[in-house]
Amino acid sequence: MLTAKLRPATPQSDQLEKTPTGIRGLDEIANGGLPKGRTSLVCGNAGCGKTILAMEFVARGAVEFGEPGVFIAFEETPDELEKNFLSLGFDLKKLVAKKLLAVDYIYVERSEIEETGSYDLDGLFIRLGHAIDSVGAKRVVLDTLEVLFAGLSDQAILRAELRRLFRWLKEKGVTAIVTGERGQGMLTRYGLEEYVADCVILLDLRLQEQIATRRLRLVKYRGSKHGADEYPFLIDENGLSILPISSLSLNHQASTQRVSSGISRLDRMLDGKGFFRGSTVLVSGTAGAGKSSLAGAFALAACQRGERCLYFAFEESPLQIVRNMKSIGLNLEAMVKNGLLRFHAVRSSLHGLEMHLVTKHKAVDEFKPAIVVLDPISSLMAVGSPTEGKSMLTRLIDFLKSEGITAMFTDLICSGGGLNQTDNEKSSLIDTWISLRDLELNGELNRGLQIIKSRGMSHSNQIREFLLTNKGIDLLDVYLGPAGVLTGSARIAQAAQGKAEVLVQQQQQVRKQHEWRRRRSSLERQMAELRAQSEMEEEEERQIRAQEEALTKTLAGNRADLAQLRGTDQLVSRTPAKTKQNETTGH
Amino acid sequence: MTSKRANPFAILDEDIKKRSKERYVLRLYISGITPRSTAAIERIRHICEKHLEGRYELEIIDIYQQPSLAKGEQIIAAPTLIRKLPLPLRRVIGDMSNEDRVLVGLDLRPNK
């Protein structure tokens, strides 16, 4: 029933029954667990974690699934065994007292033993049977049977007895794990795999460039589908964690919810609302461009909203980050104290890429953050080859997206260089890409911020000047002039110059207005003069005309007088014109 | 027995002579009454009578009847003969068909 719950696919009735191991990830790879009632072989070189896997199997079975178990140790003393269990957080004594676990320690010392004639391993069977019956065990671990090969010389008897043992275990109906040391050209040194037909798990510890990575592979799993890849795994205080990270598909939810970037001006550039929840943000920039500060502001804003934030740092210690952020007015310390912000600081060279991925998975699983910051991802990518780096990044992003976590990665890029190949590769994976640039001008380095892309929103396409002050981060408009983008003091100088120009223009305008006014008044004056002159002339004209009239009148009077004097009989008109005409005719 | 000088195993012979006075405590663990078990019992009795007459104690234990004893005595094979005394503890496993090896296992004869 537990098996069915863990299995994502709908179980079919004729499917092989599974026994969940309770080991993180293993049940997913094995599609539910180990084959129920059968024996599985766990093999690997010394120090691979065979015993831990086996111990976890019985201990988790007893504690989490209520299935009592038996642990038969061939290599460890009861004391050592107890300590080993305790290191995984299981109290062996308590489990034994509760009858959830039976432990037997089998000691085979070749020098003590003299073989004479035929024998069988009934002693082992009886002890095992006794242990199984004493607790009603469902799970059995034999760690490791190969000690028998070292202790007993008669291989023919031994092999026959082992075959009988595996058959007997199957008859008992217990789900068993036997461990075996890796052999040359074989899975196990003594060929134990030939007795175990159902399930073989191979553990491996590989060194690559001096970095060790543990890997697990299901070599064989009869009658069940299973992940065939090599899966990296981790051993820590909680035992094994295997992450089937390569099996993720592109079907994560797309949220329409927005999260603030922590800088209001940047939010305004991003459609006024900030990033999409569950999206991946890349902040790339040259050294000292303010990538971490941007990440810090983002983390702080998340914590202030009451969300959990997990901060992976690869270059600075948590205390250093807290101190540095304080200098720009971001108080992360309080958030660390109230448990909303957690740092996970390791040097990137500590593990291989796979292990980094596994540790990140685990940290995220445990802390369940809403926001994850990786600072810087370039340091992490440098651990492996570019292909490995991209694969790791893809899986990490897929994982974070499937969890609905908003992630911010910072990325150090070479100054001066444009967008190189790696950037393009990264770009296809991320949703929002913010580029921080050093803008060098007039012997000054200033920071510029630009959104290169942001999927699913209309964003500002302008460059802003990115200011780090002791009151926090601010974005300013840059001065866009004929000489290009100006920042810093050049921007201030340019702005001042602009102001001066405006002033000059204003003054010119005032002057012009003055002149206009003056010219108009002078024109008006001229107009008044002319008007006066014309009035004068009019007056003169009137006077002249009056004089002329008077003269005409006088002349006409005189002619009449003359005619009277000459005794002209014709009537002389009084009008001068007629008189003139008459005069002409008369003459 | 030849002279001490001639025999390189003189010291061991001495040891055996010393042993010849020691008291033996033997336990034979068998798993049920099988032909192998009965053969082992018969043979060990015969060997004891022959080499340890009057100075041995032989106890036969069926681990099927007392499985917890198998755990305590670290029995894995059956039959197993354990020499509890004299120390050190020795184990002889098998049906005791090879008398020489049984004697070697019990330190009653040097391992040649």
Side-chain angles (χ1 to χ4, degrees):
Chain A
M1 305 111 260
L2 279 160
T3 329
K5 214 189 283 173
L6 280 165
R7 214 180 304 154
T10 45
Q12 290 157 13
S13 54
D14 57 345
Q15 218 171 7
L16 190 68
E17 267 194 277
K18 304 283 179 82
T19 295
T21 58
I23 296 169
R24 189 194 296 219
L26 183 58
D27 294 335
E28 285 159 57
I29 300 169
N31 203 19
L34 298 177
K36 191 173 185 172
R38 302 192 187 185
T39 303
S40 302
L41 172 68
V42 177
C43 50
N45 288 323
C48 269
K50 302 184 290 289
T51 304
I52 286 188
L53 191 149
M55 280 190 333
E56 247 193 293
F57 172 68
V58 283
R60 292 203 185 276
V63 175
E64 291 170 22
F65 301 102
E67 292 190 356
V70 167
F71 194 96
I72 308 287
F74 288 83
E75 291 181 313
E76 289 152 307
T77 64
D79 240 26
E80 286 166 353
L81 202 62
E82 195 179 310
K83 275 180 194 142
N84 292 350
F85 267 94
L86 207 60
S87 73
L88 291 181
F90 294 105
D91 190 339
L92 190 63
K93 270 189 187 156
K94 219 181 255 176
L95 289 174
V96 170
K98 280 186 184 166
K99 288 222 168 254
L100 281 169
L101 199 62
V103 182
D104 198 355
Y105 163 65
I106 291 180
Y107 169 77
V108 186
E109 176 57 60
R110 185 148 201 173
S111 63
E112 274 185 5
I113 297 172
E114 196 66 47
E115 288 170 50
T116 151
S118 72
Y119 55 89
D120 54 38
L121 293 183
D122 265 352
L124 177 66
F125 281 71
I126 288 163
R127 285 166 76 175
L128 190 51
H130 179 62
I132 290 171
D133 294 340
S134 70
V135 293
K138 299 269 192 295
R139 298 172 182 223
V140 169
V141 165
L142 299 165
D143 178 47
T144 156
L145 273 178
E146 284 172 332
V147 172
L148 292 175
F149 286 91
L152 303 171
S153 57
D154 196 329
Q155 295 256 329
I157 290 180
L158 198 48
R159 290 195 178 272
E161 286 299 283
L162 281 183
R163 204 171 289 278
R164 187 162 72 97
L165 176 70
F166 288 114
R167 213 170 43 233
W168 178 78
L169 283 171
K170 211 175 244 184
E171 276 165 25
K172 278 264 177 191
V174 292
T175 310
I177 285 185
V178 292
T179 62
E181 198 94 347
R182 188 83 193 266
Q184 288 278 323
M186 293 202 294
L187 284 174
T188 55
R189 194 176 292 163
Y190 296 99
L192 281 178
E193 61 268 29
E194 71 182 81
Y195 308 109
V196 181
D198 296 308
C199 180
V200 177
I201 299 171
L202 179 65
L203 304 182
D204 184 27
L205 181 69
R206 232 174 300 159
L207 277 175
Q208 201 172 10
E209 287 179 15
Q210 298 161 20
I211 291 166
T213 306
R214 293 176 196 276
R215 289 184 169 88
L216 176 145
R217 184 160 72 95
L218 277 171
V219 178
K220 176 175 174 182
Y221 199 151
R222 188 172 285 179
S224 167
K225 66 171 185 178
H226 59 88
D229 299 345
E230 271 198 320
Y231 301 96
F233 71 96
L234 194 76
I235 296 177
D236 64 7
E237 68 281 1
N238 297 320
L240 263 74
S241 307
I242 305 150
L243 296 153
I245 25 205
S246 50
S247 60
L248 289 167
S249 50
L250 267 178
N251 54 5
H252 26 253
Q253 297 287 314
S255 173
T256 50
Q257 212 188 327
R258 296 295 192 90
V259 280
S260 167
S261 64
I263 303 160
S264 55
R265 192 71 195 267
L266 182 57
D267 288 347
R268 258 183 281 154
M269 287 176 77
L270 293 158
D271 211 6
K273 296 166 204 156
F275 310 118
F276 278 116
R277 185 170 292 284
S279 68
T280 310
V281 183
L282 180 71
V283 179
S284 68
T286 48
K291 300 179 294 296
S292 301
S293 308
L294 203 66
F298 181 54
L300 183 67
C303 294
Q304 279 164 348
R305 288 194 300 270
E307 294 172 3
R308 284 159 177 260
C309 177
L310 191 56
Y311 196 116
F312 293 103
F314 301 109
E315 288 180 350
E316 292 175 290
S317 75
L319 288 175
Q320 199 181 345
I321 294 170
V322 166
R323 182 202 66 194
N324 295 352
M325 292 299 159
K326 205 176 237 172
S327 76
I328 55 163
L330 303 174
N331 187 9
L332 294 180
E333 201 175 357
M335 297 305 163
V336 174
K337 274 187 189 141
N338 69 20
L340 285 172
L341 179 62
R342 184 181 287 179
F343 283 99
H344 200 281
V346 285
R347 277 271 172 215
S348 54
S349 51
L350 181 71
H351 312 296
L353 279 177
E354 295 289 352
M355 289 309 278
H356 270 297
L357 198 51
V358 174
T359 43
K360 265 161 213 69
H361 249 264
K362 201 161 172 285
V364 167
D365 274 355
E366 281 168 7
F367 191 55
K368 305 230 172 294
I371 304 283
V372 162
V373 174
L374 260 102
D375 182 28
I377 196 129
S378 40
S379 161
L380 192 61
M381 302 274 284
V383 174
S385 70
T387 334
E388 286 175 325
K390 194 189 175 191
S391 141
M392 191 269 317
L393 197 62
T394 311
R395 286 187 283 166
L396 182 61
I397 288 173
D398 280 349
F399 166 64
L400 293 175
K401 284 201 163 172
S402 69
E403 301 281 309
I405 294 167
T406 318
M408 183 180 270
F409 303 150
T410 68
D411 183 22
L412 176 71
I413 55 170
C414 298
S415 64
L419 308 177
N420 54 30
Q421 190 57 35
T422 18
D423 286 329
N424 288 335
E425 278 177 3
K426 281 177 210 160
S427 163
S428 64
L429 297 171
I430 53 142
D431 300 312
T432 301
W433 186 357
I434 296 171
S435 168
L436 294 174
R437 290 198 290 170
D438 281 333
L439 302 169
E440 191 183 346
L441 200 77
N442 293 344
E444 255 180 49
L445 262 185
N446 291 298
R447 301 176 175 97
L449 180 147
Q450 188 185 12
I451 297 169
I452 295 179
K453 73 165 190 181
S454 192
R455 284 175 180 157
M457 63 175 86
S458 64
H459 58 85
S460 166
N461 58 359
Q462 286 181 311
I463 295 181
R464 295 273 182 276
E465 188 175 347
F466 181 62
L467 271 189
L468 296 174
T469 65
N470 55 9
K471 288 190 190 81
I473 296 172
D474 205 2
L475 294 179
L476 296 177
D477 288 325
V478 290
Y479 186 86
L480 287 168
V485 172
L486 297 179
T487 55
S489 62
R491 172 177 52 78
I492 295 167
Q494 190 65 42
Q497 202 180 323
K499 229 179 253 175
E501 271 170 17
V502 166
L503 207 66
V504 167
Q505 218 165 8
Q506 278 176 350
Q507 283 170 350
Q508 268 177 352
Q509 227 163 12
V510 169
R511 214 170 37 240
K512 256 182 209 160
Q513 276 175 355
H514 273 299
E515 201 171 312
W516 286 333
R517 215 172 293 142
R518 210 182 53 237
R519 207 183 291 167
R520 202 183 302 133
S521 65
S522 94
L523 278 174
E524 272 167 8
R525 230 178 12 254
Q526 280 179 353
M527 274 157 71
E529 256 171 54
L530 284 171
R531 203 176 293 127
Q533 205 175 340
S534 96
E535 273 171 16
M536 251 160 64
E537 279 175 19
E538 222 171 284
E539 180 63 34
E540 213 169 322
E541 194 193 336
R542 210 174 51 233
Q543 278 178 3
I544 290 171
R545 197 177 288 155
Q547 276 175 0
E548 270 180 13
E549 262 173 37
L551 191 63
T552 318
K553 226 179 256 171
T554 323
L555 281 177
N558 285 353
R559 205 176 289 143
D561 288 344
L562 274 172
Q564 246 173 358
L565 285 171
R566 277 181 197 160
T568 315
D569 44 34
Q570 100 187 69
L571 201 74
V572 178
S573 120
R574 280 271 167 199
T575 52
K578 232 176 183 171
T579 321
K580 245 182 222 172
Q581 205 176 22
N582 289 347
E583 256 176 84
T584 339
T585 346
H587 287 288
Chain B
M1 294 286 153
T2 46
S3 77
K4 275 180 190 178
R5 264 172 212 280
N7 188 353
F9 298 105
I11 299 161
L12 286 169
D13 284 346
E14 283 288 307
D15 197 38
I16 290 164
K17 251 181 230 165
K18 208 162 69 192
R19 285 273 157 98
S20 68
K21 283 154 211 148
E22 273 177 322
R23 201 176 161 71
Y24 272 67
V25 177
L26 303 173
R27 297 242 170 98
L28 181 67
Y29 292 86
I30 54 162
S31 56
I33 306 302
T34 61
R36 191 184 282 143
S37 302
T38 40
I41 295 167
E42 265 172 34
R43 281 175 193 141
I44 194 65
R45 278 204 173 127
H46 174 76
I47 291 165
C48 288
E49 281 303 311
K50 195 167 146 194
H51 299 274
L52 301 164
E53 203 196 334
R55 56 186 181 95
Y56 76 94
E57 222 176 80
L58 178 66
E59 196 182 342
I60 293 157
I61 296 157
D62 185 352
I63 47 174
Y64 270 123
Q65 308 292 325
Q66 291 164 289
S68 53
L69 283 180
K71 187 175 174 178
E73 288 288 357
Q74 284 295 342
I75 308 297
I76 49 161
T80 296
L81 178 69
I82 292 187
R83 186 186 79 183
K84 301 281 281 183
L85 280 175
L87 289 173
L89 191 122
R90 299 299 305 261
R91 291 161 196 274
V92 180
I93 61 172
D95 58 8
M96 314 291 151
S97 54
N98 187 336
E99 194 181 319
D100 279 354
R101 297 211 66 83
V102 178
L103 293 177
V104 168
L106 294 177
D107 282 343
L108 287 169
R109 176 170 295 185
N111 192 358
K112 279 181 193 170

